[in-house]
Amino acid sequence: MKKHRHNPIVQITDQRIEEYSLRMTTVESERIKELVASSRSELDYIDMLSGNLVGQILKMLIRVSGAKRILEVGTFTGYSAVMMAEALPEDGEIITIEMNILYQELAERHFKMFDVENKITLMKGNAQELIKDIEGFFGLIFLDADKVSYSFYYEQALKKLESGGLLVVDNVLWNGTVLEPSDHKAEALGQFNGLVQQDKRVEQVLLPVRDGLTVIRKI
Ligand SMILES: C[S@@+](CC[C@H](N)C(=O)[O-])C[C@H]1O[C@@H](n2cnc3c(N)ncnc32)[C@H](O)[C@@H]1O
């Protein structure tokens, strides 16, 4: 029998509005639906997967900005990486970092299965160590890994973003608990949001979509 996590991510918006928004949003491709089904059949829980609202925002940002080189921190089973690959031109590339061996194997299998392995490179290991040595600049960076390290990743990401490049950061509202932090993750995310808000090097919008998504543009 499948296990359920004690504290799964819940929507911060009204559930009916969330469902309506999903119904009115471009539908996931067949391969993305298959990837979700495959993830569900392999794992006890898949609530870390960012979902169609975040996925479609990423795709839209890639198409509108023309970003060709993308860095993702936090692959999980490859959902957002494959979504982003769908919006990339033929010569585009994604580097995605994952430290969990089980997720690495599953993501790798999905990249092969869904024919995007030529566009996606999976870096295996701790992003906190690996990110510093990644060379070149990126048009878009998607930050979706260990929440307490967001401020560290933020500085690294700013160094690696092209001027005008986008940093998209997931879970910035942490179930709304950033308003009154009662654990170290909520506290770290609250500090991160404040850091971005004060930073003159960027402009940003915090979207109350799903668990909170901030889109940051490097000036
Ligand atoms: C929220 S999930 C990513 C979801 C994925 N972006 C998606 O939309 O399907 C976060 C992932 O980051 C990975 N992770 C957490 N800390 C990490 C670190 N320091 N280095 C690399 N991966 C990390 C976790 O193992 C997990 O798979």
Side-chain angles (χ1 to χ4, degrees):
M1 199 172 73
K2 294 267 173 193
K3 282 184 252 160
H4 292 284
R5 289 221 287 180
H6 177 61
N7 190 17
I9 289 171
V10 293
Q11 296 93 22
I12 46 168
T13 40
D14 180 289
Q15 196 176 343
R16 289 170 313 155
I17 295 288
E18 184 91 6
E19 283 163 11
Y20 180 80
S21 305
L22 275 167
R23 279 205 307 281
M24 295 300 135
T25 296
T26 303
V27 174
E28 288 166 332
S29 65
E30 286 310 310
R31 68 173 150 188
I32 288 290
K33 285 182 189 160
E34 277 180 52
L35 185 150
V36 174
S38 159
S39 306
R40 194 170 279 128
S41 72
E42 295 283 337
L43 300 174
D44 286 334
Y45 54 83
I46 61 163
D47 58 356
M48 284 203 288
L49 189 147
S50 53
N52 196 37
L53 291 182
V54 170
Q56 296 295 349
I57 290 172
L58 287 168
K59 287 179 87 165
M60 192 75 79
L61 290 173
I62 291 166
R63 292 202 208 276
V64 170
S65 69
K68 278 190 172 180
R69 198 157 183 256
I70 291 171
L71 174 64
E72 174 178 68
V73 185
T75 317
F76 191 41
T77 64
Y79 177 90
S80 45
V82 177
M83 277 289 241
M84 293 192 285
E86 288 183 340
L88 271 185
E90 271 313 304
D91 59 345
E93 68 155 330
I94 298 175
I95 295 173
T96 181
I97 313 174
E98 176 57 55
M99 73 185 317
N100 179 299
I101 292 172
L102 176 64
Y103 303 154
Q104 287 166 1
E105 284 170 4
L106 200 47
E108 238 167 4
R109 207 187 317 155
H110 287 154
F111 298 155
K112 280 203 185 81
M113 210 161 131
F114 300 114
D115 209 21
V116 285
E117 55 181 335
N118 56 334
K119 280 188 183 168
I120 304 178
T121 304
L122 177 65
M123 285 183 80
K124 300 173 183 178
N126 188 341
Q128 291 180 42
E129 289 157 18
L130 296 177
I131 194 167
K132 296 181 217 146
D133 298 326
I134 298 174
E135 292 186 345
F137 289 93
F138 294 87
L140 186 143
I141 299 177
F142 181 40
L143 179 50
D144 193 17
D146 40 332
K147 312 304 162 194
V148 289
S149 310
Y150 270 17
S151 298
F152 165 77
Y153 291 127
Y154 177 66
E155 288 303 328
Q156 292 296 320
L158 281 187
K159 287 185 197 156
K160 294 181 192 311
L161 270 183
E162 295 162 0
S163 175
L166 300 173
L167 172 61
V168 184
V169 187
D170 202 8
N171 307 107
V172 292
L173 292 175
W174 204 240
N175 274 344
T177 58
V178 286
L179 294 179
E180 287 176 29
S182 58
D183 65 42
H184 67 294
K185 287 188 184 174
E187 222 161 82
L189 283 163
Q191 278 168 11
F192 167 74
N193 291 335
L195 174 78
V196 176
Q197 208 277 328
Q198 296 294 320
D199 194 343
K200 300 278 178 280
R201 298 171 294 176
V202 297
E203 51 194 15
Q204 77 281 350
V205 54
L206 194 163
L207 303 170
V209 173
R210 194 174 157 268
D211 197 29
L213 188 77
T214 301
V215 181
I216 301 164
R217 179 176 170 275
K218 180 175 165 180
I219 296 169

CSV table of all heavy atoms in Angstrom, one decimal, residues 10-38:
chain,number,residue,atom,x,y,z
A,10,VAL,N,0.3,21.7,0.4
A,10,VAL,CA,-1.1,22.0,0.0
A,10,VAL,C,-1.1,23.3,-0.7
A,10,VAL,O,-0.2,24.1,-0.6
A,10,VAL,CB,-2.0,22.1,1.3
A,10,VAL,CG1,-2.2,20.8,2.0
A,10,VAL,CG2,-1.4,23.2,2.2
A,11,GLN,N,-2.2,23.6,-1.5
A,11,GLN,CA,-2.2,24.9,-2.2
A,11,GLN,C,-2.5,26.0,-1.2
A,11,GLN,O,-3.3,25.8,-0.3
A,11,GLN,CB,-3.4,24.8,-3.2
A,11,GLN,CG,-3.2,23.8,-4.3
A,11,GLN,CD,-3.9,22.5,-4.0
A,11,GLN,OE1,-4.8,22.5,-3.2
A,11,GLN,NE2,-3.4,21.5,-4.6
A,12,ILE,N,-1.9,27.1,-1.5
A,12,ILE,CA,-2.2,28.3,-0.6
A,12,ILE,C,-3.4,29.0,-1.2
A,12,ILE,O,-4.0,29.8,-0.5
A,12,ILE,CB,-1.0,29.2,-0.5
A,12,ILE,CG1,-0.4,29.4,-1.9
A,12,ILE,CG2,0.0,28.7,0.4
A,12,ILE,CD1,0.6,30.5,-2.0
A,13,THR,N,-3.8,28.8,-2.4
A,13,THR,CA,-5.0,29.4,-3.0
A,13,THR,C,-6.2,28.4,-2.7
A,13,THR,O,-6.0,27.2,-2.5
A,13,THR,CB,-4.9,29.6,-4.5
A,13,THR,OG1,-4.2,28.5,-5.1
A,13,THR,CG2,-4.1,30.8,-4.9
A,14,ASP,N,-7.4,28.9,-2.8
A,14,ASP,CA,-8.6,28.1,-2.7
A,14,ASP,C,-8.5,26.9,-3.6
A,14,ASP,O,-8.1,27.1,-4.8
A,14,ASP,CB,-9.8,29.0,-3.0
A,14,ASP,CG,-11.1,28.3,-2.9
A,14,ASP,OD1,-11.3,27.4,-3.8
A,14,ASP,OD2,-11.8,28.6,-2.0
A,15,GLN,N,-8.8,25.7,-3.1
A,15,GLN,CA,-8.6,24.5,-3.9
A,15,GLN,C,-9.4,24.5,-5.2
A,15,GLN,O,-9.0,24.1,-6.3
A,15,GLN,CB,-9.0,23.3,-3.1
A,15,GLN,CG,-8.4,22.0,-3.8
A,15,GLN,CD,-8.6,20.8,-3.0
A,15,GLN,OE1,-8.9,20.9,-1.8
A,15,GLN,NE2,-8.5,19.7,-3.6
A,16,ARG,N,-10.6,25.1,-5.1
A,16,ARG,CA,-11.5,25.2,-6.4
A,16,ARG,C,-10.9,26.1,-7.4
A,16,ARG,O,-10.9,25.9,-8.6
A,16,ARG,CB,-12.9,25.6,-6.0
A,16,ARG,CG,-13.7,24.5,-5.2
A,16,ARG,CD,-15.0,25.1,-4.7
A,16,ARG,NE,-14.7,26.4,-4.1
A,16,ARG,CZ,-15.6,27.3,-3.9
A,16,ARG,NH1,-16.8,27.2,-4.3
A,16,ARG,NH2,-15.3,28.5,-3.3
A,17,ILE,N,-10.3,27.2,-6.9
A,17,ILE,CA,-9.6,28.1,-7.9
A,17,ILE,C,-8.4,27.4,-8.5
A,17,ILE,O,-8.2,27.6,-9.7
A,17,ILE,CB,-9.2,29.4,-7.1
A,17,ILE,CG1,-10.4,30.2,-6.6
A,17,ILE,CG2,-8.3,30.3,-8.0
A,17,ILE,CD1,-11.2,30.9,-7.6
A,18,GLU,N,-7.7,26.7,-7.7
A,18,GLU,CA,-6.5,26.0,-8.2
A,18,GLU,C,-6.9,25.0,-9.3
A,18,GLU,O,-6.3,24.9,-10.3
A,18,GLU,CB,-5.9,25.2,-7.0
A,18,GLU,CG,-4.6,24.5,-7.3
A,18,GLU,CD,-3.3,25.3,-7.1
A,18,GLU,OE1,-3.4,26.4,-6.6
A,18,GLU,OE2,-2.3,24.8,-7.5
A,19,GLU,N,-8.0,24.2,-9.0
A,19,GLU,CA,-8.5,23.2,-10.0
A,19,GLU,C,-9.0,23.9,-11.2
A,19,GLU,O,-8.7,23.5,-12.3
A,19,GLU,CB,-9.6,22.4,-9.3
A,19,GLU,CG,-9.0,21.3,-8.4
A,19,GLU,CD,-10.1,20.7,-7.4
A,19,GLU,OE1,-11.3,21.0,-7.6
A,19,GLU,OE2,-9.6,20.1,-6.5
A,20,TYR,N,-9.7,25.0,-11.0
A,20,TYR,CA,-10.2,25.8,-12.2
A,20,TYR,C,-9.0,26.3,-13.0
A,20,TYR,O,-9.0,26.2,-14.3
A,20,TYR,CB,-11.1,26.9,-11.7
A,20,TYR,CG,-11.7,27.8,-12.8
A,20,TYR,CD1,-12.8,27.3,-13.5
A,20,TYR,CD2,-11.1,29.0,-13.2
A,20,TYR,CE1,-13.3,28.1,-14.6
A,20,TYR,CE2,-11.6,29.7,-14.3
A,20,TYR,CZ,-12.7,29.3,-14.9
A,20,TYR,OH,-13.2,30.0,-16.0
A,21,SER,N,-8.0,26.9,-12.4
A,21,SER,CA,-6.9,27.4,-13.1
A,21,SER,C,-6.2,26.3,-13.9
A,21,SER,O,-5.8,26.4,-15.0
A,21,SER,CB,-5.8,28.0,-12.1
A,21,SER,OG,-6.4,28.9,-11.3
A,22,LEU,N,-6.1,25.1,-13.3
A,22,LEU,CA,-5.5,23.9,-14.0
A,22,LEU,C,-6.3,23.6,-15.2
A,22,LEU,O,-5.7,23.3,-16.3
A,22,LEU,CB,-5.4,22.7,-13.0
A,22,LEU,CG,-4.1,22.7,-12.2
A,22,LEU,CD1,-4.2,21.7,-11.0
A,22,LEU,CD2,-2.9,22.5,-13.0
A,23,ARG,N,-7.6,23.6,-15.0
A,23,ARG,CA,-8.5,23.2,-16.2
A,23,ARG,C,-8.4,24.2,-17.3
A,23,ARG,O,-8.5,23.8,-18.5
A,23,ARG,CB,-10.0,23.1,-15.7
A,23,ARG,CG,-10.3,21.8,-15.0
A,23,ARG,CD,-11.8,21.5,-15.2
A,23,ARG,NE,-12.7,22.6,-14.7
A,23,ARG,CZ,-13.0,22.9,-13.4
A,23,ARG,NH1,-12.5,22.2,-12.5
A,23,ARG,NH2,-13.8,23.9,-13.2
A,24,MET,N,-8.1,25.5,-17.0
A,24,MET,CA,-8.1,26.5,-18.0
A,24,MET,C,-6.6,26.7,-18.5
A,24,MET,O,-6.4,27.7,-19.3
A,24,MET,CB,-8.6,27.8,-17.4
A,24,MET,CG,-10.1,27.8,-17.1
A,24,MET,SD,-11.1,27.4,-18.5
A,24,MET,CE,-12.2,26.2,-17.8
A,25,THR,N,-5.7,25.9,-18.1
A,25,THR,CA,-4.3,26.0,-18.5
A,25,THR,C,-4.0,24.9,-19.6
A,25,THR,O,-4.6,23.9,-19.6
A,25,THR,CB,-3.4,25.9,-17.3
A,25,THR,OG1,-3.7,27.0,-16.4
A,25,THR,CG2,-1.9,25.9,-17.6
A,26,THR,N,-3.1,25.2,-20.5
A,26,THR,CA,-2.6,24.3,-21.5
A,26,THR,C,-2.4,22.9,-20.8
A,26,THR,O,-1.8,22.8,-19.8
A,26,THR,CB,-1.3,24.7,-22.1
A,26,THR,OG1,-1.6,26.0,-22.7
A,26,THR,CG2,-0.9,23.8,-23.2
A,27,VAL,N,-2.9,21.9,-21.5
A,27,VAL,CA,-2.9,20.5,-20.9
A,27,VAL,C,-1.4,20.0,-21.1
A,27,VAL,O,-0.8,20.3,-22.1
A,27,VAL,CB,-3.9,19.6,-21.6
A,27,VAL,CG1,-3.8,18.2,-21.2
A,27,VAL,CG2,-5.3,20.2,-21.4
A,28,GLU,N,-1.0,19.2,-20.1
A,28,GLU,CA,0.3,18.5,-20.2
A,28,GLU,C,0.4,17.6,-21.4
A,28,GLU,O,-0.6,17.0,-21.8
A,28,GLU,CB,0.6,17.6,-19.0
A,28,GLU,CG,0.8,18.4,-17.7
A,28,GLU,CD,0.7,17.5,-16.5
A,28,GLU,OE1,-0.1,16.5,-16.5
A,28,GLU,OE2,1.4,17.8,-15.5
A,29,SER,N,1.5,17.5,-22.0
A,29,SER,CA,1.7,16.6,-23.2
A,29,SER,C,1.5,15.2,-22.7
A,29,SER,O,1.6,14.9,-21.5
A,29,SER,CB,3.1,16.8,-23.8
A,29,SER,OG,4.1,16.4,-22.9
A,30,GLU,N,1.3,14.3,-23.7
A,30,GLU,CA,1.1,12.9,-23.4
A,30,GLU,C,2.3,12.3,-22.6
A,30,GLU,O,2.2,11.5,-21.7
A,30,GLU,CB,0.8,12.0,-24.6
A,30,GLU,CG,-0.6,12.2,-25.2
A,30,GLU,CD,-1.7,12.1,-24.1
A,30,GLU,OE1,-1.7,11.1,-23.4
A,30,GLU,OE2,-2.5,13.0,-24.0
A,31,ARG,N,3.5,12.7,-23.1
A,31,ARG,CA,4.7,12.1,-22.4
A,31,ARG,C,4.9,12.6,-21.0
A,31,ARG,O,5.3,11.9,-20.1
A,31,ARG,CB,6.0,12.4,-23.2
A,31,ARG,CG,6.4,13.8,-23.3
A,31,ARG,CD,7.8,13.9,-24.0
A,31,ARG,NE,7.9,15.1,-24.7
A,31,ARG,CZ,8.9,15.4,-25.5
A,31,ARG,NH1,9.9,14.5,-25.8
A,31,ARG,NH2,9.0,16.5,-26.1
A,32,ILE,N,4.4,13.9,-20.8
A,32,ILE,CA,4.5,14.4,-19.4
A,32,ILE,C,3.5,13.6,-18.5
A,32,ILE,O,3.8,13.2,-17.4
A,32,ILE,CB,4.2,15.9,-19.3
A,32,ILE,CG1,5.4,16.7,-19.9
A,32,ILE,CG2,3.9,16.4,-17.9
A,32,ILE,CD1,6.7,16.6,-19.0
A,33,LYS,N,2.3,13.3,-19.1
A,33,LYS,CA,1.3,12.5,-18.3
A,33,LYS,C,1.9,11.1,-18.0
A,33,LYS,O,1.7,10.6,-16.9
A,33,LYS,CB,0.0,12.3,-19.1
A,33,LYS,CG,-0.8,13.6,-19.2
A,33,LYS,CD,-2.1,13.3,-19.9
A,33,LYS,CE,-2.8,14.6,-20.2
A,33,LYS,NZ,-3.8,14.5,-21.2
A,34,GLU,N,2.6,10.6,-19.0
A,34,GLU,CA,3.2,9.2,-18.8
A,34,GLU,C,4.3,9.3,-17.7
A,34,GLU,O,4.5,8.4,-16.9
A,34,GLU,CB,3.9,8.7,-20.1
A,34,GLU,CG,2.9,8.0,-21.0
A,34,GLU,CD,3.6,7.6,-22.3
A,34,GLU,OE1,4.6,6.9,-22.2
A,34,GLU,OE2,3.2,7.9,-23.4
A,35,LEU,N,5.1,10.4,-17.7
A,35,LEU,CA,6.2,10.6,-16.7
A,35,LEU,C,5.6,10.7,-15.3
A,35,LEU,O,6.1,10.1,-14.4
A,35,LEU,CB,7.0,11.9,-17.1
A,35,LEU,CG,8.2,12.1,-16.2
A,35,LEU,CD1,9.2,12.9,-17.0
A,35,LEU,CD2,7.9,12.9,-14.9
A,36,VAL,N,4.4,11.4,-15.2
A,36,VAL,CA,3.8,11.5,-13.9
A,36,VAL,C,3.3,10.1,-13.4
A,36,VAL,O,3.5,9.7,-12.3
A,36,VAL,CB,2.6,12.5,-13.9
A,36,VAL,CG1,1.8,12.5,-12.6
A,36,VAL,CG2,3.1,13.9,-14.3
A,37,ALA,N,2.7,9.3,-14.4
A,37,ALA,CA,2.2,8.0,-14.0
A,37,ALA,C,3.4,7.1,-13.6
A,37,ALA,O,3.3,6.3,-12.7
A,37,ALA,CB,1.5,7.4,-15.2
A,38,SER,N,4.5,7.2,-14.4
A,38,SER,CA,5.6,6.4,-14.1
A,38,SER,C,6.2,6.7,-12.7
A,38,SER,O,6.6,5.9,-11.9
A,38,SER,CB,6.7,6.5,-15.2
A,38,SER,OG,8.0,6.2,-14.7
